[in-house]
Amino acid sequence: MAGVFDIELHDGDSINQDESDDDIVENREEEYNRTTNINTILESDNLERVQLSEQNVNAGQEKTGPQDFELCKILGEGGYGKVFQVKKVTGKDKGSIFAMKVLRKASIIRNQKDTAHTKAERNILEAVKHPFIVNLMYAFQTGGKLYLILEYLCGGELFTYLDREGIFLEDTACFYLSEIILALQHLHNQGIIYRDLKPENILLDGEGHVKLTDFGLCKEHIEEGTVTHTFCGTIEYMAPEILTRSGHGKAVDWWSLGALMFDMLTGMPPFTGDDRRKTIEKILRGKLNLPLYLTPDARDLIRKLLKRQVSQRLGSGPEDAEQIMNHNFFEHINWQDVISRKLEPPFKPSLKSADDTSQFDEQFTATVPVDSPVESTLSESANMIFQGFTYVAPSVLEEMCAQPRIVNARSPRKGFLSTGSLHSLSSRSPDGHIRTTSHFHQHRHHVVGSNNMEDTEMADIGPLFNF
């Protein structure tokens, strides 16, 4: 898949000179006719000439494009494109509901980092299959746009449920954390760092189980002991080593898990300030204040996940997720039951049908769905950047026997995005003194590939949909 997978040759790489017999084709001189003229063969009347087309090249594969999907609803919108709820109108999975993420090529290629993140997201979605990670069903492109067709997650964001409940009971948090841990463990085993764990990027399927979405900030090819230096993520959940740019590895996801756990149990992340710089200052030097109502096991796990020294952080060693799974907070969890989806979800979405969009913001769903025309056309060389983008899931090629269930769009936490109002006693806070800032969620500081803390802030419209 040229143009999608980056292959690097390092100085230490060498070609194995001791080739096996399978790699050698013997040239028997007596069997080779040097007098053969290729032009003579081509001019022969005995040859059948066939025009190459999509119908006779890779004919066994299903060809898809925008024309194969009917737009139903808008689920989200951002600077680079839109996300639609769509219905498949052709093929074996005709009538199935999906989420269609549409990205404008011209917007993406302006920034090398955005191009790299888009390619990484598509590659990771193809490579990673897991019960708690969103499934990519199709990927295709037109002259001006990229299309990702994902399973429709009708349960909505975990963000929405957390906003509605204020805080979760520890048993509820334990359920969600256990599924998230297994998803992160699977990514880490594939050499992938997630780097943007937060309630907005965690969706629920129709039964209430977790699905991680939005892989645009992931980093591939990270092995044990290697680090990367990109400054990216969402500030409130960002590990200190990302902020200091000292090099980070898989342990950043366990810091984010600790911040998420704190958010679930208290109503907000552990370190927040009135602006980005104050938030960063607290993450790097602030004191971790844990409410007295937390159980000793919960307090201990949060403290061990939010260790600023990476070597002291739970999960930072070679055992990775196993260290966290063995903590007393999860002593009643049967991990085999978790991966088998046998645990009963604490919240089951109230849905009328498979295409229900009630868990999404009416600001988008009430809008007439239109895939806007492309304003500019890329040159042939620019389009080569996206060569190899097309994909059809094996489950589609083999047999599509069950309807996918899931998608999700941004639903801002109530009371925090309305200008001019300060809701320090929002439903997210069980007690006024716990919320350390009155308008924390007015601005989610979502930073992507920035070399300066102040110069990049992405439009963040929710899971799957951070463009």
Side-chain angles (χ1 to χ4, degrees):
M1 299 187 117
V4 175
F5 298 98
D6 294 328
I7 301 175
E8 298 181 5
L9 293 179
H10 302 285
D11 293 339
D13 296 341
S14 62
I15 298 174
N16 186 356
Q17 300 297 330
D18 185 19
E19 295 177 331
S20 69
D21 291 341
D22 292 338
D23 297 325
I24 299 173
V25 178
E26 292 186 2
N27 178 12
R28 297 183 180 178
E29 194 166 335
E30 65 274 13
E31 295 180 2
Y32 178 63
N33 185 355
R34 285 189 170 84
T35 63
T36 301
N37 189 321
I38 190 64
N39 293 322
T40 303
I41 296 175
L42 292 176
E43 292 170 1
S44 171
D45 294 333
N46 295 325
L47 291 181
E48 179 184 2
R49 288 167 172 76
V50 178
Q51 181 68 35
L52 297 180
S53 68
E54 289 189 357
Q55 284 67 44
N56 55 35
V57 177
N58 295 329
Q61 294 192 7
E62 182 170 344
K63 303 296 190 298
T64 55
Q67 71 281 355
D68 297 303
F69 298 89
E70 174 189 342
L71 302 182
C72 301
K73 300 277 188 179
I74 295 180
L75 300 174
E77 189 170 354
Y80 289 175
K82 297 177 182 178
V83 175
F84 300 91
Q85 181 200 63
V86 295
K87 179 186 292 186
K88 188 87 178 329
V89 295
T90 61
K92 290 175 289 188
D93 50 347
K94 181 179 179 180
S96 296
I97 302 298
F98 298 103
M100 183 170 76
K101 184 172 182 176
V102 185
L103 303 171
R104 289 190 294 272
K105 290 181 180 179
S107 299
I108 294 170
I109 64 170
R110 291 173 188 164
N111 185 296
Q112 188 175 0
K113 287 288 185 182
D114 293 340
T115 304
H117 288 312
T118 301
K119 289 183 179 182
E121 179 175 24
R122 178 251 178 265
N123 293 352
I124 290 167
L125 284 170
E126 175 185 357
V128 175
K129 305 300 177 187
H130 191 270
F132 306 129
I133 294 176
V134 67
N135 286 323
L136 174 67
M137 308 309 298
Y138 299 92
F140 50 84
Q141 59 181 304
T142 61
K145 293 183 179 181
L146 302 172
Y147 294 82
L148 294 173
I149 307 298
L150 304 130
E151 61 176 323
Y152 178 62
L153 296 164
C154 54
E157 302 175 3
L158 185 65
F159 178 97
T160 303
Y161 295 87
L162 187 53
D163 181 43
R164 184 180 65 200
E165 297 295 317
I167 61 172
F168 287 158
L169 297 175
E170 288 191 12
D171 286 348
T172 299
C174 185
F175 171 87
Y176 291 125
L177 292 170
S178 64
E179 294 191 341
I180 292 166
I181 288 169
L182 292 185
L184 291 174
Q185 180 187 43
H186 184 70
L187 291 174
H188 290 182
N189 287 342
Q190 305 298 315
I192 299 166
I193 314 176
Y194 185 54
R195 297 200 297 192
D196 202 18
L197 186 65
K198 57 182 177 180
E200 294 91 332
N201 284 348
I202 303 162
L203 302 189
L204 304 183
D205 64 18
E207 298 174 5
H209 290 282
V210 156
K211 290 273 187 173
L212 286 190
T213 66
D214 194 351
F215 292 83
L217 297 190
C218 286
K219 179 66 176 180
E220 303 172 273
H221 315 303
I222 298 294
E223 303 303 328
E224 189 64 37
T226 61
V227 296
T228 184
H229 294 81
T230 304
F231 183 82
C232 66
T234 301
I235 296 291
E236 290 80 6
Y237 298 89
M238 223 185 263
E241 60 267 32
I242 295 181
L243 296 173
T244 60
R245 314 187 193 196
S246 54
H248 62 270
K250 299 174 184 177
V252 298
D253 286 338
W254 302 130
W255 171 282
S256 298
L257 185 79
L260 176 65
M261 180 178 177
F262 188 100
D263 194 356
M264 288 181 178
L265 297 177
T266 70
M268 64 186 308
F271 304 106
T272 58
D274 292 335
D275 57 41
R276 181 186 298 178
R277 287 200 174 276
K278 290 179 181 178
T279 298
I280 291 173
E281 181 68 21
K282 288 188 176 182
I283 292 172
L284 296 179
R285 299 177 183 83
K287 181 180 178 181
L288 177 63
N289 295 310
L290 293 166
L292 296 176
Y293 61 78
L294 297 180
T295 63
D297 285 340
R299 293 164 63 89
D300 184 69
L301 178 56
I302 291 173
R303 286 190 183 280
K304 289 179 176 177
L305 290 171
L306 295 179
K307 290 287 186 182
R308 292 187 174 95
Q309 294 297 322
V310 177
S311 60
Q312 298 177 17
R313 189 178 308 154
L314 198 66
S316 64
E319 301 91 348
D320 195 50
E322 293 290 338
Q323 288 186 327
I324 301 166
M325 293 160 66
N326 291 329
H327 191 275
N328 283 343
F329 184 76
F330 299 106
E331 64 177 340
H332 300 300
I333 291 293
N334 181 319
W335 291 97
Q336 188 56 49
D337 286 348
V338 176
I339 195 66
S340 301
R341 294 164 55 97
K342 291 182 179 179
L343 300 187
E344 186 70 23
F347 301 115
K348 185 172 177 63
S350 178
L351 304 168
K352 296 178 180 178
S353 61
D355 61 352
D356 193 319
T357 59
S358 60
Q359 304 302 317
F360 299 94
D361 194 338
E362 289 187 4
Q363 172 189 350
F364 298 114
T365 59
T367 306
V368 176
V370 177
D371 189 8
S372 54
V374 177
E375 297 175 356
S376 58
T377 303
L378 299 184
S379 65
E380 184 177 347
S381 59
N383 259 312
M384 287 296 291
I385 295 173
F386 302 104
Q387 185 178 1
F389 190 84
T390 301
Y391 169 76
V392 178
S395 58
V396 175
L397 294 175
E398 294 164 5
E399 182 178 4
M400 195 66 149
C401 56
Q403 276 197 340
R405 298 181 293 256
I406 311 170
V407 137
N408 202 327
R410 170 81 169 172
S411 54
R413 296 197 185 180
K414 299 167 188 173
F416 289 101
L417 291 180
S418 54
T419 56
S421 59
L422 303 179
H423 297 272
S424 60
L425 293 177
S426 159
S427 61
R428 286 298 310 281
S429 175
D431 198 348
H433 72 276
I434 296 174
R435 186 171 297 280
T436 58
T437 178
S438 59
H439 56 289
F440 148 63
H441 289 295
Q442 281 188 333
H443 299 284
R444 282 281 196 179
H445 299 122
H446 189 87
V447 181
V448 182
S450 172
N451 291 321
N452 185 303
M453 294 184 195
E454 295 297 325
D455 65 9
T456 304
E457 187 166 334
M458 293 285 285
D460 182 0
I461 61 170
L464 302 184
F465 316 140
N466 291 339
F467 300 132

